[in-house]
Amino acid sequence: MKQEPADKPHVHKEQLAYAGVLDKLSHFAILFLTGSYAAYIFQLLPRKVSIADIAANWHLRASLMQEKLDAPLGWSFMSGMESFWRGDALSYFAIILICMIPVVCLLVTAPAFFREKRPVFGVIAILQVLILLVAATGVLVR
Amino acid sequence: MPVTPPSKAFRAVASAAAGIAVLFLLLPGTLLAAEPQSAIEAAWWVWVLLLFVFSFVLGIFAVLAGVGGGVLFVPIVSSFFPFHLDFVRGAGLMVALSGAISAGAPLMRKGLADLKLGLPMALVGSLSSIAGAMAGLALPAQTVQLLLGIVIVVIATIMFLSGKSGYPEVKVPDALSKALHISGIYYEESIKKDVSWQVHRTPLSLIFFLMIGFIGGMFGLGAGFANVPVFNLLMGVPLKVSVATSGLVLSINGAAAAWVYMFKGAMLPLIAVPSIAGMMLGSKIGAKLLTRVNTSSVRIIVVSMLAVAGIRSLFKGFGI
């Protein structure tokens, strides 16, 4: 790949570390997203909730639809292999993977900030990871 | 930059895109609204396919107009598709987030997206985006629809009126940005030179990012429409760095708010995935067409589409 002549001198190592992880994970997540969605809509795997049921209720508020259908929610599909290995759950998991990408990138980058003597940004990165992880636990919405 | 005449292929794609977009804008809302249950049950795949095609078209327009996909997606899809606004906002967040993530790595390697500039803004923005998402899902849907209409009309007005500054001059950086060493250099291909930048008004900008995060989370909008002017016009960051770093901020804020939508059951893969795929494919085509079209004309079309969608959203909010 062609690189700009001034690329390397201007970009900090921690930023290159972030970009490296982001690149790999984003490609993987998009492939997973496509594959799992194909498995979902073409019914290559069983579904927890049928698409017809979803379509019949997608005009309702999320809370009302949830009451009626019990579709995958938060980490609910991780309760066992049977509930995980379903088309809708895998497709939902692909969305979770995308949301976790910044967490992984920041976890890789935080030590690099400390190594490069930029501890303030190391702390900011760790705080950011904590915020994202707290959001991912769902405690804020219970 | 000289504008070359558009090719036949481009004219065909642009005409098709404009045709579909105009068709959607002209169709009466009741025709596309959620009422006819049996029709929806019989034809879920039609809606999914239509959503993919529509997101694809939006992706082309979004890139050509220099706006994020989320800001177009939520008001237009919520106005013209049968899905509840909750699911459209969840999908909108994922559209914005996925676009930012897929474009992020090369921009960071080139030094255009800047981690030191983006992280402090993302930190405050992610907190408020979670709060915004919670508020948005707690409020009555009609109130959210009404507020969305107001926000979209304001955004369309700002986009119509606001200027841009390619290389703003910051003579004296503020104390906070100096303490955090927020500054940078990137290689500007168009002038074959290194461009160095520094920033000012960092504390005020943090407050703006707090507000932008809330709005982004509440309405499921990517917040590029607001991030970029704050970076560029308020902080004095060069335009290209502003656009690229806005994506970085968006990817973190979007990821934080998306969890709220997931735990509230407002994230439907059936709707989110074709939206993401369509928008990403459309964005790639848009990027290829970018050098061959008069982007200011496209921008006027997009601002008009936003204004129409905003007004429709207002009407829906008033129950009209």
Side-chain angles (χ1 to χ4, degrees):
Chain A
M1 194 178 72
K2 191 186 161 196
Q3 284 202 319
E4 281 71 17
D7 247 9
K8 285 195 173 165
H10 300 324
V11 182
H12 291 305
K13 283 182 183 170
E14 56 273 20
Q15 183 154 321
L16 291 172
Y18 192 106
V21 182
L22 180 62
D23 202 11
K24 288 189 184 80
L25 290 182
S26 61
H27 281 106
F28 172 74
I30 288 163
L31 282 177
F32 191 86
L33 188 81
T34 312
S36 58
Y37 192 70
Y40 176 33
I41 60 165
F42 296 120
Q43 213 169 346
L44 305 177
L45 290 169
R47 302 165 182 148
K48 186 179 182 199
V49 180
S50 79
I51 290 180
D53 283 343
I54 299 259
N57 292 285
W58 61 23
H59 63 289
L60 297 176
R61 275 218 90 149
S63 50
L64 290 176
M65 181 194 262
Q66 198 57 35
E67 272 174 30
K68 285 179 83 170
L69 298 182
D70 193 27
L73 175 87
W75 295 98
S76 64
F77 64 94
M78 296 287 274
S79 56
M81 273 314 284
E82 197 191 331
S83 55
F84 180 74
W85 203 243
R86 291 176 185 273
D88 44 357
L90 276 183
S91 200
Y92 190 80
F93 183 62
I95 290 175
I96 286 186
L97 275 183
I98 292 176
C99 292
M100 291 304 280
I101 288 175
V103 175
V104 181
C105 291
L106 288 165
L107 278 175
V108 170
T109 312
F113 273 124
F114 287 109
R115 276 197 302 273
E116 296 300 314
K117 310 270 188 267
R118 281 182 270 273
V120 175
F121 284 94
V123 172
I124 291 176
I126 291 169
L127 284 174
Q128 186 65 73
V129 168
L130 287 176
I131 291 169
L132 291 171
L133 289 180
V134 168
T137 61
V139 291
L140 297 172
V141 294
R142 276 175 203 147
Chain B
M1 192 173 68
V3 177
T4 53
S7 66
K8 277 185 183 174
F10 168 72
R11 281 202 297 266
V13 171
S15 307
I20 294 170
V22 169
L23 183 68
F24 266 87
L25 289 175
L26 292 179
L27 280 173
T30 47
L31 192 67
L32 297 174
E35 299 309 325
Q37 281 293 302
S38 56
I40 291 165
E41 281 172 36
W44 65 266
W45 60 270
V46 174
W47 286 114
V48 169
L49 192 63
L50 213 52
L51 184 64
F52 173 77
V53 173
F54 194 65
S55 303
F56 174 76
V57 173
L58 280 186
I60 296 176
F61 272 74
V63 171
L64 294 180
V67 297
V71 74
L72 289 175
F73 180 87
V74 176
I76 296 177
V77 171
S78 69
S79 291
F80 303 105
F81 280 79
F83 321 126
H84 191 277
L85 184 58
D86 288 353
F87 305 117
V88 178
R89 284 182 289 156
L93 267 181
M94 291 311 300
V95 162
L97 163 63
S98 308
I101 278 175
S102 67
L107 296 174
M108 293 186 87
R109 288 198 180 106
K110 287 180 181 173
L112 289 172
D114 192 272
L115 208 50
K116 284 191 299 171
L117 173 65
L119 277 186
M121 307 305 161
L123 188 68
V124 295
S126 60
L127 282 171
S128 60
S129 70
I130 292 171
M134 289 164 71
L137 288 168
L139 286 170
Q142 204 156 347
T143 309
V144 178
Q145 189 86 53
L146 183 65
L147 292 173
L148 175 68
I150 295 169
V151 166
I152 294 299
V153 170
V154 170
I155 290 170
T157 310
I158 290 171
M159 282 177 65
F160 185 70
L161 297 175
S162 74
K164 287 177 192 168
S165 180
Y167 312 104
E169 192 182 348
V170 175
K171 287 185 178 152
V172 184
D174 63 90
L176 181 59
S177 72
K178 265 165 88 175
L180 292 174
H181 300 288
I182 300 177
S183 60
I185 304 172
Y186 75 100
Y187 181 71
E188 175 55 67
E189 273 187 1
S190 62
I191 54 173
K192 307 283 179 208
K193 270 186 187 172
D194 284 343
V195 174
S196 63
W197 55 268
Q198 51 189 0
V199 300
H200 56 183
R201 306 186 191 117
T202 307
L204 180 62
S205 304
L206 284 166
I207 296 169
F208 270 93
F209 275 96
L210 199 68
M211 294 191 293
I212 296 166
F214 189 87
I215 292 170
M218 184 168 190
F219 299 113
L221 305 172
F225 67 90
N227 290 345
V228 174
V230 173
F231 277 137
N232 182 229
L233 300 175
L234 190 66
M235 297 183 78
V237 180
L239 186 60
K240 284 188 178 175
V241 179
S242 301
V243 172
T245 308
S246 164
L248 171 72
V249 174
L250 194 67
S251 67
I252 296 173
N253 291 357
W259 284 107
V260 177
Y261 284 86
M262 280 193 264
F263 278 99
K264 290 283 187 182
M267 192 69 79
L268 285 182
L270 187 63
I271 295 172
V273 178
S275 311
I276 295 168
M279 189 67 80
M280 286 173 97
L281 278 177
S283 302
K284 284 191 189 298
I285 304 286
K288 286 190 178 168
L289 295 172
L290 196 57
T291 54
R292 298 155 66 183
V293 295
N294 183 344
T295 51
S296 58
S297 311
V298 178
R299 197 172 165 83
I300 290 169
I301 295 172
V302 166
V303 171
S304 311
M305 284 165 69
L306 261 182
V308 171
I311 291 164
R312 288 193 76 120
S313 200
L314 275 176
F315 284 155
K316 278 181 89 172
F318 282 120
I320 300 169

